[in-house]
Amino acid sequence: MLKKYGVGLVLAGMVAAQVGAEEQDAGPRRDPLDPLPYRMRALQLGERVTPMTAGREFNPAISVIFDFTYAYETEDLDAPPGFEWGHDHGHGHGHDHAHGIEEGFQLRGVELTLTGTIDPYLDMSTTIHFTDHDVEVEEAYATTRMLPVGFQLKAGKFLSDVGYINKQHMHDWAFADQPWMREFFFGDEGLNELGVQLSWLPPTETYIRLGVEVMEGESEGIANYIGNGHHEIVTILPDNTQGPERNRWRGDKGLQEKEGPRLFTGFAKVAPDIGRNHAIQLGTFGGYSRVMQMEEAHSSGRLETWDGDAWFAGVDAVYKYDGAGVMGQGNFVLQGEYLYRQLDLDYRSQQFESFGSLITTDQNSQRWKQDGLYVQGIYGFWPRWDAGLRLDVLGLNNDGFEGRGTPEDFGTSYRYTGQIAYRPTEFSMIRAQAGYMDLAHGDHGHDHDDGWLFVLQFSTSLGVHGAHAF
């Protein structure tokens, strides 16, 4: 008799759990391509938030992620022609806090992330990035938990949701480095800004997410801001003499001053249901920057500045297949993005003589039209093993200006990358990668227009972290 009652209680508990799960899943679908648990779903009309309780819920989830690389390059290449602004090299050299690859051994970063629920109204996430010479708050934002009708508000410093890969951290990339498109249009750290985001999940069976963002506007690729002030140019005499024998020029930059916010973006994502083992998300995005500024100082006493505004637009698509194999075997991911930008700039060239006397000024208006894309695929060919290929293209449209305002088509640059990765567990990964860069040809003072980059990468995580995609 006790056995019969026991079996009945177990079955009743299973049925109740199933009903509760179905009730919990009511409303709009969660993003099938975004498994991070702290990106909370906004509440629908009439839905109640889960009460906050004492205990472990007050403690944040903590993770530490370590990334270490060794790299060798056959040629020291500049950035692709037309995209040199703000970049020393095409793969991220020379930046204090960059996610690029440096030749030799490199500690690319130690990432400390804390996420948790503050109270019934707010969740919070903070990510701090450490290198051997720099510390930076990469993200620190709060999101609401109980706004009605599917709305959610995010405020702080965060990676923008434009496109697909921009919101991913370095350890989430399927390759050791990021696509050219993200790097050269949004900067080494992506579109990562102070600001606010308002998003909406309509109460539909199909996952749809719409959002707008208002940001400070400081990203080097699309919203670079310098402001006015003086610029000092120091020329070393031919014999490299230091000290008082140096010549100095000090000139007014002549750039506009505009307080933030300066950058406004919007995005739309839809993920229709295409089957049990399949997921797809399609997106479109765009943005407008009130200010886009650059400067270049020459030891001859010439100061070049660009000052204006910019806008961009793009599309993204991601398809994922769950092969239902052991440790990722049979899984396949195909993704790609395309982005177009237009910069409307006033160019100014000032020639100074020693101690700040202005000799000549040359200026004109410039319109830059550039685009870029990437397509990549990753396949789990064996338990714990995956391999991938990626194509990067910059400058199918690459109309800009050379020198003192001379129009020019800088040409198209390509990069072909392959990688193979082994994951002993979900907490560690070893990757080997090779990439061939074929830069646009032209008379830009380059000794080489192509070269190889080889990378070995090791990363590991400690503590609680977001679930991996299937």
Side-chain angles (χ1 to χ4, degrees):
M1 182 69 67
L2 291 175
K3 291 183 178 180
K4 291 182 179 180
Y5 282 120
V7 172
L9 290 173
V10 170
L11 292 175
M14 293 175 63
V15 171
Q18 178 66 25
V19 171
E22 292 176 355
E23 291 178 353
Q24 185 177 5
D25 288 339
R29 295 175 58 86
R30 292 178 182 271
D31 184 351
L33 305 179
D34 186 1
L36 298 181
Y38 53 84
R39 297 180 187 272
M40 304 297 292
R41 178 173 61 87
L43 294 182
Q44 301 306 302
L45 186 63
E47 188 177 357
R48 294 184 300 173
V49 68
T50 302
M52 186 72 179
T53 60
R56 64 181 182 180
E57 287 84 356
F58 283 101
N59 299 320
I62 301 175
S63 68
V64 179
I65 300 176
F66 162 89
D67 189 88
F68 179 75
T69 60
Y70 172 80
Y72 169 76
E73 55 185 348
T74 59
E75 301 293 343
D76 187 12
L77 299 179
D78 291 333
F83 295 88
E84 294 91 344
W85 287 351
H87 293 80
D88 295 330
H89 297 78
H91 35 81
H93 293 228
H95 300 276
D96 290 337
H97 176 55
H99 298 322
I101 303 293
E102 294 182 3
E103 194 169 14
F105 291 109
Q106 178 189 7
L107 177 62
R108 287 211 295 175
V110 177
E111 191 175 276
L112 173 64
T113 299
L114 301 91
T115 61
T117 297
I118 299 174
D119 54 31
Y121 309 102
L122 294 172
D123 293 315
M124 185 172 180
S125 176
T126 299
T127 299
I128 303 174
H129 191 92
F130 300 84
T131 67
D132 54 358
H133 51 75
D134 187 36
V135 178
E136 180 174 339
V137 177
E138 190 162 272
E139 288 195 284
Y141 61 85
T143 54
T144 57
R145 303 189 72 226
M146 55 183 305
L147 293 184
V149 202
F151 285 100
Q152 186 176 65
L153 187 66
K154 177 191 292 187
K157 183 180 182 184
F158 54 88
L159 288 162
S160 168
D161 276 84
V162 297
Y164 179 71
I165 200 171
N166 184 77
K167 68 181 179 182
Q168 294 182 352
H169 289 258
M170 181 171 58
H171 57 84
D172 292 322
W173 299 341
F175 291 79
D177 48 7
Q178 61 185 320
W180 267 354
M181 187 208 76
R182 183 183 192 265
E183 176 183 353
F184 288 99
F185 285 96
F186 294 149
D188 288 300
E189 299 178 46
L191 194 56
N192 188 0
E193 294 267 1
L194 289 167
V196 295
Q197 176 194 95
L198 178 65
S199 60
W200 180 46
L201 266 66
T204 59
E205 292 185 1
T206 299
Y207 174 86
I208 299 174
R209 183 165 179 254
L210 310 173
V212 292
E213 299 168 334
V214 179
M215 298 179 165
E216 186 70 7
E218 296 177 334
S219 298
E220 66 183 33
I222 198 66
N224 198 62
Y225 179 69
I226 301 173
N228 204 4
H230 290 84
H231 190 101
E232 185 176 88
I233 307 171
V234 179
T235 302
I236 307 300
L237 298 180
D239 60 356
N240 292 325
T241 304
Q242 300 290 326
E245 297 188 40
R246 294 183 297 176
N247 291 327
R248 293 178 179 269
W249 289 265
R250 182 174 174 83
D252 188 349
K253 296 178 183 179
L255 299 174
Q256 59 182 321
E257 292 275 4
K258 281 191 177 181
E259 298 295 330
R262 294 178 289 267
L263 178 62
F264 309 89
T265 68
F267 58 87
K269 305 175 188 293
V270 58
D273 188 355
I274 59 173
R276 180 179 178 83
N277 296 331
H278 307 266
I280 189 171
Q281 178 177 281
L282 307 174
T284 183
F285 57 92
Y288 170 72
S289 176
R290 297 167 57 221
V291 178
M292 176 65 187
Q293 299 175 340
M294 295 299 300
E295 66 175 341
E296 184 173 347
H298 302 267
S299 59
S300 63
R302 185 162 64 98
L303 176 63
E304 293 181 284
T305 58
W306 291 262
D307 192 359
D309 56 22
W311 64 269
F312 67 92
V315 294
D316 60 273
V318 185
Y319 166 76
K320 294 188 178 185
Y321 171 73
D322 182 2
V326 178
M327 295 295 292
Q329 183 178 13
N331 291 357
F332 176 67
V333 180
L334 178 66
Q335 70 185 70
E337 298 184 58
Y338 171 83
L339 187 148
Y340 173 89
R341 76 174 176 186
Q342 180 173 300
L343 313 177
D344 291 303
L345 307 173
D346 292 325
Y347 169 80
R348 186 183 186 190
S349 175
Q350 301 179 85
Q351 181 67 52
F352 295 90
E353 68 176 4
S354 193
F355 307 110
S357 300
L358 179 62
I359 303 176
T360 60
T361 300
D362 181 22
Q363 56 188 16
N364 57 46
S365 297
Q366 301 181 358
R367 172 167 289 180
W368 293 64
K369 299 178 181 180
Q370 298 173 308
D371 63 358
L373 64 87
Y374 77 91
V375 178
Q376 67 184 45
I378 302 292
Y379 176 68
F381 64 92
W382 198 258
R384 301 183 176 90
W385 289 86
D386 66 66
L389 296 173
R390 181 182 66 196
L391 169 65
D392 287 288
V393 183
L394 276 183
L396 293 172
N397 293 290
N398 200 2
D399 297 329
F401 291 78
E402 179 70 19
R404 295 176 179 268
T406 304
E408 181 173 344
D409 181 355
F410 291 97
T412 307
S413 297
Y414 299 89
R415 180 174 65 173
Y416 311 90
T417 307
Q419 69 89 27
I420 183 170
Y422 171 66
R423 292 174 172 82
T425 69
E426 62 176 305
F427 300 101
S428 61
M429 183 270 298
I430 302 171
R431 174 182 285 134
Q433 177 175 307
Y436 174 70
M437 293 163 285
D438 183 11
L439 305 187
H441 297 278
D443 185 16
H444 299 286
H446 299 166
D447 295 328
H448 302 277
D449 294 305
D450 64 319
W452 287 86
L453 175 67
F454 301 94
V455 182
L456 291 176
Q457 179 188 14
F458 171 68
S459 66
T460 185
S461 62
L462 174 67
V464 179
H465 62 286
H468 293 286
F470 55 75

